Amino acid sequence: MFDDEYASQREIEKELFKEFDNVSERGFSLLKFTFAIAGFYSIILVNMYNKFDINLILNSSPYPPYSVYSIKLCFFLLFLAFYSSFMTLRLVRYRFIENGRLVCYRCGYELEKNNFRVALNIRKHGFFNMLSCFCILFSFQFFLTYFLGKSFFILVLGGSFASALNFIGAWLDIYGIELEGRGVQELQSNKGRN
């Protein structure tokens, strides 16, 4: 019985590590894409103003208050996309343990606990990748708003607010927190047993 459970946990571990590597590659690709988008924005602004001067960009905006807000939000969201993509690179997977002077595979309860931790990290990766895509998309829309004016700015701002509410719901779902509080109580009771 114990050997069957151990073998199944090993298979689960292999599948989790494959999925972890795939999600990590997506996060790294989003990080590279964020740098490409920043380069694209810089090239457009340099070609428009003949130099990359922040004061010049903010002071000579086509639609004064809205263009200033939109370009600031654009670069803030681009920074947030970079940061959330970078956060996925910080999540690690643990396969081995140190036992005195030896390094060995996990087994038994340690293996099951590690599989749970890797599965939770995969969910975090997915959330950070989703957040990064959201930030890149709305960064591009706010960049367009710099050139298009007030009505498009209000439309994009409303859409980003609605999407932010959806992402808060996704965050609560990823961590298993229910709004009524039952999920939090179950998490606390499980921690007390461990």
Side-chain angles (χ1 to χ4, degrees):
M1 177 75 178
F2 180 72
D3 291 335
D4 292 337
E5 184 178 334
Y6 179 74
S8 68
Q9 286 294 326
R10 277 281 172 225
E11 289 299 317
I12 290 171
E13 182 185 41
K14 287 178 187 175
E15 292 298 319
L16 284 174
F17 283 156
K18 273 190 215 173
E19 183 66 27
F20 188 88
D21 290 340
N22 289 340
V23 174
S24 295
E25 282 296 318
R26 280 186 229 127
F28 189 64
S29 296
L30 280 171
L31 188 64
K32 292 189 290 188
F33 186 63
T34 303
F35 278 115
I37 292 291
F40 173 73
Y41 292 164
S42 300
I43 288 172
I44 295 292
L45 292 172
V46 165
N47 283 335
M48 188 171 170
Y49 294 110
N50 293 328
K51 61 181 175 177
F52 192 74
D53 183 15
I54 300 296
N55 291 326
L56 177 66
I57 292 170
L58 294 178
N59 292 334
S60 61
S61 59
Y63 302 98
Y66 301 105
S67 293
V68 171
Y69 296 144
S70 65
I71 202 72
K72 287 179 180 179
L73 283 170
C74 166
F75 282 107
F76 173 74
L77 285 171
L78 197 63
F79 173 74
L80 194 60
F82 169 76
Y83 182 74
S84 61
S85 296
F86 184 72
M87 288 298 292
T88 61
L89 299 177
R90 293 184 52 216
L91 296 174
V92 295
R93 61 186 177 126
Y94 305 98
R95 187 173 198 153
F96 305 108
I97 57 172
E98 289 185 37
N99 188 5
R101 292 183 158 188
L102 300 174
V103 176
C104 56
Y105 284 107
R106 296 179 183 273
C107 59
Y109 178 71
E110 280 290 321
L111 178 62
E112 186 178 333
K113 190 169 114 181
N114 186 53
N115 285 347
F116 178 74
R117 185 174 22 195
V118 171
L120 186 62
N121 280 346
I122 289 172
R123 290 169 72 183
K124 287 179 184 178
H125 269 282
F127 176 74
F128 284 131
N129 289 344
M130 187 171 57
L131 180 65
S132 182
C133 288
F134 161 77
C135 290
I136 290 171
L137 173 71
F138 278 101
S139 170
F140 183 70
Q141 289 180 349
F142 279 116
F143 186 73
L144 290 179
T145 303
Y146 179 75
F147 303 105
L148 297 178
K150 176 183 178 180
S151 60
F152 196 68
F153 177 76
I154 293 172
L155 180 70
V156 170
L157 196 61
S160 63
F161 180 72
S163 296
L165 291 177
N166 285 332
F167 277 103
I168 290 171
W171 180 80
L172 292 174
D173 184 46
I174 282 175
Y175 290 102
I177 300 171
E178 295 179 10
L179 293 178
E180 292 86 31
R182 285 192 313 256
V184 175
Q185 292 170 355
E186 291 171 6
L187 286 173
Q188 290 173 348
S189 66
N190 287 338
K191 284 183 182 179
R193 281 187 269 171
N194 293 334

